[in-house]
Amino acid sequence: MKNPIQAMFEAGIVEATDFPPESRYSGLPTKSLEGPDGRTIAYVTRRFSPQPEAFATQAYRITTEGERLDQIVASTTGNPEGFWQLCDANGALFAEELEEPGTELRLTLPEGVPGAEDEL
């Protein structure tokens, strides 16, 4: 199965950047400014987190003592670096917010990918 983010790049839906398709910064343009000492400083433009409603829910799970989001996402998607997608889907800015034991996590499809309930 093709990575849906890579498919969007190939279709021209998302502009390519210096970041890999699975990065939270993928699709964001870079800019630069001149520092007070004359050096050019490159930076990534601001990323706005999507609304949790933009994600189709696949399942829910409760976190247990000692679990980290990278472990959870690795077991569900195979990509431990995709923890930020769980943060986006659950409206959290920091992974630690969702790692408290007993926290209910929404496991979702990538943003914009419709789920079964959206196809009805």
Side-chain angles (χ1 to χ4, degrees):
M1 181 170 154
K2 183 182 268 191
N3 178 325
I5 296 172
Q6 183 64 39
M8 289 189 275
F9 279 125
E10 291 172 5
I13 297 169
V14 177
E15 181 182 324
T17 67
D18 294 332
F19 299 97
E22 61 277 359
S23 168
R24 78 175 87 190
Y25 304 109
S26 180
L28 292 177
T30 56
K31 293 191 176 187
S32 62
L33 59 88
E34 188 174 321
D37 60 357
R39 290 185 309 145
T40 300
I41 302 166
Y43 65 97
V44 180
T45 59
R46 185 173 178 185
R47 177 184 182 268
F48 293 95
S49 297
Q51 293 299 309
E53 297 80 29
F55 298 87
T57 302
Q58 286 188 300
Y60 291 91
R61 89 188 289 290
I62 304 295
T63 58
T64 60
E65 184 70 40
E67 276 190 309
R68 297 187 324 256
L69 288 191
D70 62 329
Q71 296 168 324
I72 294 168
V73 111
S75 70
T76 58
T77 70
N79 177 14
E81 295 179 355
F83 73 92
W84 59 272
Q85 293 169 317
L86 274 180
C87 289
D88 285 353
N90 288 276
L93 291 178
F94 303 102
E96 295 80 16
E97 295 175 45
L98 301 176
E99 293 175 338
E100 287 292 319
T103 301
E104 182 178 64
L105 293 178
R106 272 179 69 221
L107 304 177
T108 67
L109 294 170
E111 180 187 11
V113 175
E117 70 274 3
D118 297 331
E119 297 173 356
L120 300 177

